[in-house]
Structure formats: structure tokens, C-alpha cells
Amino acid sequence: MQIEKSLSLANPSPRNLTPGHKIGLSIVGLGLVLLLIALFGGLRSHVGLFLALALSSLAVGGITYAWFEYMNKPEGIKNNGVWHFGESSRGTIGWVFGVVITLFYIALYWFPEWLGQGSAGAGNSGMVALFDPLSILLKGQPASQWFVYGTFYTLAILVLGVKFIWKYRHNRYQQIRTFSVMFFQLGFAFLIPEILSSLNNTASFSDIPYNDFKNMWPLNYYFFDDYNIKAMLSPGSGNLGLSMLIWGLAMVFVVSPFLTYFFGKRWYCSWVCGCGGLAETAGDPFRQLSDKSLKAWKFERWMIHGVLLFAVLMTVAVIYSFYQKNGNESFWISKDMFIWGTVTLLLGIAAAVFFMRERFKHIKKDVRFLIVGLIVTTAGVIAINYLSGAKHVMFVESYPLRKWYGFFIGVTFSGVIGVGFYPLLGSRVWCRFGCPMAGLLGLQQRFFSRFRITTNGDQCISCGNCSTYCEMGIDVRSYAQKGQNIVRASCVGCGICAAVCPRGVLRLENGPNTDESRMESI
């Protein structure tokens, strides 16, 4: 351990890189150079070897750097100097990194030919062609830009997950949840879908859809699309397609409410979700950049619940149009049963909240907003039933409307801004302001979950670490100072606030669902 002999209160010397750091960075640099050479068409032979070398260089180099960064230091949080490094304080390096990632997402979504994606039957070139051997190995098909993206995404979570585990090695909860997101990303989001895609080449499973098994509606907004439902119900997908449909429905209506009741939204947002997994691992150096202002909090509430409302109505419209085009005989539930069943469900939830209003007497304003939102959603469902057709939703063409939703929310917000802006706006921009899944789970957590963060206000020294490193922009310190439990719809239960607290003031717990624990607004 290096001992600084200077009496200066400020750091008198720049951040030093050990030889181990430099070796790790050099190995990462080798992998990046190979990817750049491939991007510009420089690797046309032995692509399998070069791909293995590039990916292993990124992995080995990243893990080597993390080892020398954390393993030779005492246990505990190492956030020293985050506001003095350009990469983590919106400095030059941070802006460059943000621009590069954003450009990658723009190319991925709108200009895949820049990455070498072949079109009209043409073969791949550039970086996409580099990934052909791995894609053929897993699913028997050449790579696409989405396969390249999935590989990078999974590699980032795995490598930076190791870094995260070493950084928080004193905290068992952080280790467990990081192992969890690494497992679900590698297995449920990458390997299983790719293997199922390989089955698509066989006669027995000719119509099986590509599906991320840990994504569920409303995050997976295309789950109820016409093509996806047909694929899952097609004879070509066999019992597996029907099982996928049943699993998707069970996740929404059974598994998710049950787990959220006991564990809060953290079971998904911090333990399973790929977006959350990338935010926690790759986004860890940027969590302090989240906007903590009251203005951002007010905008967050309207934005995320507005997206959720639109996602619900669009899903109802999509299923309604499916019935209009295919007839009631195409499904075991008729169109009228679906529409009025949905209306009954929404009004039933509104009635339950109304009759339980005494239980939420300290958050009457939130209860009113929830009931009004459910009634508005119900009115929208009824309007869809009477004012929509096979191609129109309340006199608006459904396909362009769905397409623009996918463009602005599913692509621009969740991808380009949600990840590309990590170094500028923090790691959970998408989760805070745009994710309909986070909005739905947040409402369940706010009103019915047993999960909360308990506080011991007598021990709080108002250091502000908890608020600074809350990636969801919650002013945790204000709760700790008042000794109030934290039950917020936006809290993802990452536990970093408790991990960085020097006094052990905060604890993630399950407790009785009393009204006193919910005194603050959503």
C-alpha cells in the first residue's frame, strides 16, 4: 500500500497506474484494435481465431485491470475521487465515451450496414462477419447486428460483473445479486434464445419465435404482437411455443406480483433484468451522476407512468386487432371476453384500492392518482373496443403508431439514450424515466410490497453518501435523517445506499405492510 507523505488536503499527485493496470489496459487495447480492424474490413481470413483473440483480450484485460484495481486494497467501497476523474464526472473522457457509445447504438439500430450487416441475401462483412463463426456455432446461421450486440452486451455484464464483485467483495448481498444478473444474462438472454433459434431450422420447430426468457410484458412490448402470438400458437413450434406463451402470461400475472410482494421490484430490476444488469456493472462508475433534483423527480413520475399507460393501451389494441384479423376461433378466449375481462380486472383493482384507502391514509394523493389512472385506462380500453378496427386504433393507424412507440421508447430511449448517456446522465436514465416494467413493478412495490429500506436516524451523520450514489435519484439522506422507512416506487433495491453508509444506518428488509411505512409520495 502506497503511503502519501504530503500534508496537503488535496491529492498532491495524479492517479498512479501500476504495471498490472497497464498490462490489463494493453490487453483490452489489443481487443479493441482487432475489432476496429475488422470493422474496416481488415480481417477476412481466420476470422474465428481473430474473434476468439479479440473477445478473450477484452475479457482477460478487463479482469486483469479490475484485479489490480481492487484486490490489493482493503475491503470497502472505493469511490475516492469520482468527481475528479474525467470519465466519471462528465469530463472530456466521459463525453468522448458517451459519444462513441451513442454512435455505436445509432449504427446498430439504423445503419447496421456500417457494422457490416449484409442485406438482400448478401454476405456479411466488417465487424458482423467477424462474429459469423460464433453465430454459426450457436445457431447455425451467419451473425446479425443483434447477435453482435448480444455478444458485446453479455460480455460487458460478465467482465464488469467480476469487477463489481471484487469492488463490493465485503458485501454479500452485492455479490449474490451480481452473480444473479450474470447468470440470467448469459443463460436466459443469450444462450437459450440462440439455441432455440438453431431449432428454428428444423421441421419440428420451424415457427418458434426468438425470445428473451427473462423479459416480460410490458418491457417486452412485442410479446403480444400478431406475429409473435401466431408463432407461439403455430403447429411448427409444437408444445414449446405454447409453453412460451403460458410462461409469458404466468410471468406477468402470477410470478411477478408474487415475487414483488415479498421482495419488491428488486427481484427483477436488480437481480434479473438485463438493462438493470448493465446499469449495475458497466454503469457503476456513473451512478453518482443521476439527477437528484425535485424537478427531475416530478418529471420522472409523469413520464414513466405515461409510458406505462400507453404500453397498456397499445397492447390491448394489438390483441384486439389480432382478433379482428384472425377471428375469435384463433384463440380460446373470444374478443369480447378479452375486452370485458380486461375492463373487469382494471375496475376490480381500482375498487380494491378504494376500499383499502384507509390502509393508505397517509398517501391519499397517491391513491387518488392510481384510481384515476386505472379509470382512464379502462376508458381507453372501452374506446378501443368501439372505435378501433383491424388496422386502426381509435381512428389512428395502428402499425405506424406501434412503430413510432418502438422507435422512441424501445430504441431511442432504452438503447441510444439509456446506455449511451451513462457518462452524462447516470446509469439508470431508462429505468427511471422510460421503462414501463419499472413503472408497473414500482406501483406494486409502492402499495402492496413488504420490501422497504429501514433507517436508524439516530446513527445518521448526514455524510450524504447514500443520496450521492443512489442511481435512481432518491434523496435517501432525508429519509435517514427523519428515521423514516424508504418505500418508493422508483427504488430498485440495489442496496448501494446501505453499502456506502459508514454507520450502518440503512437496511434492506421485508416488514409489515403498515400505512406509517408509506408516508412519503411516490
Side-chain angles (χ1 to χ4, degrees), residues 102-125:
T102 301
L103 289 176
F104 172 76
Y105 270 89
I106 290 174
L108 181 75
Y109 283 110
W110 298 304
F111 304 100
E113 63 274 10
W114 292 358
L115 302 177
Q117 176 67 47
S119 59
N124 294 325
S125 61

Side-chain angles (χ1 to χ4, degrees), residues 186-262:
L186 178 62
F188 284 66
F190 185 66
L191 291 180
I192 293 178
E194 296 299 341
I195 293 173
L196 289 178
S197 181
S198 68
L199 297 177
N200 199 24
N201 295 325
T202 66
S204 301
F205 301 100
S206 58
D207 297 322
I208 192 169
Y210 182 95
N211 204 340
D212 181 345
F213 276 79
K214 64 178 178 50
N215 273 3
M216 60 180 177
W217 181 90
L219 178 59
N220 184 357
Y221 60 89
Y222 52 84
F223 181 80
F224 293 103
D225 278 358
D226 184 276
Y227 77 91
N228 205 43
I229 294 178
K230 284 185 175 180
M232 289 185 288
L233 295 177
S234 170
S237 63
N239 292 329
L240 183 57
L242 180 61
S243 300
M244 292 169 65
L245 177 60
I246 294 174
W247 169 251
L249 294 174
M251 282 285 287
V252 177
F253 296 106
V254 180
V255 177
S256 176
F258 178 81
L259 292 178
T260 304
Y261 173 76
F262 285 104

Side-chain angles (χ1 to χ4, degrees), residues 217-218 301-317 346 369-381 384 394 402 405 434-437 439-440 443:
W217 181 90
R301 291 194 300 165
W302 286 102
M303 183 69 185
I304 195 169
H305 295 120
V307 172
L308 175 61
L309 173 63
F310 186 81
V312 170
L313 293 179
M314 281 305 305
T315 299
V316 172
L346 293 172
F369 274 125
L370 178 58
I371 293 176
V372 170
L374 289 168
I375 293 175
V376 170
T377 306
T378 303
V381 173
I384 289 172
M394 291 183 284
R402 187 76 167 175
Y405 173 82
C435 178
M437 187 76 242
L440 178 61
L443 291 175

